[in-house]
Amino acid sequence: MSEKQVKLSVPAEHSSRTTAVPRRIKKKIQLRDDYVLEDFYSAVRNNRLDSIHVPHSDVFFVKAAMEHHLGMKFKLKDVEAAMRAEGWNESRVLVPYKQKVLAND
């Protein structure tokens, strides 16, 4: 038996009823840079929202700023990867400060 093969012992009473249960693997579909809305609406139409990755709006803004200042085209996934490498994390995006309304008694 090679190193990658694993032998499973199955009790005799269960050996005739064994069936493999396929695992559903979620595939993330990257949105095409020029067709983000079209790909998103296609996923909505086909009930496949769980299979796509929509970058945070910060990624779109950084991509636009880089393209404007550098005069080069960049892919969304490359900009997002660079932002993550620099420490950006969408879970750490600041929530806007809400002013407290003081009631005058």
Side-chain angles (χ1 to χ4, degrees), residues 10 29 31 44 49 52 57 71 75 81 91-92 95 98 101 103:
V10 179
I29 299 170
L31 300 176
V44 169
L49 276 177
I52 65 170
S57 59
K75 292 183 178 182
S91 65
R92 290 181 16 203
V95 177
K98 294 182 181 179
V101 178

Side-chain angles (χ1 to χ4, degrees), residues 36 53-65 76 79-80 83-84 88 90 93-94:
V36 173
H53 169 70
V54 179
H56 192 273
S57 59
D58 290 353
V59 178
F60 289 93
F61 290 120
V62 170
K63 178 182 180 288
L76 283 170
V79 173
E80 185 175 28
M83 289 172 66
R84 289 188 190 280
W88 177 85
E90 63 186 280
V93 174
L94 296 176

Side-chain angles (χ1 to χ4, degrees), residues 18-33:
T18 59
T19 58
V21 177
R23 290 181 116 186
R24 182 174 176 189
I25 299 173
K26 291 184 179 180
K27 295 182 180 179
K28 290 288 183 183
I29 299 170
Q30 290 289 331
L31 300 176
R32 297 173 293 171
D33 291 346

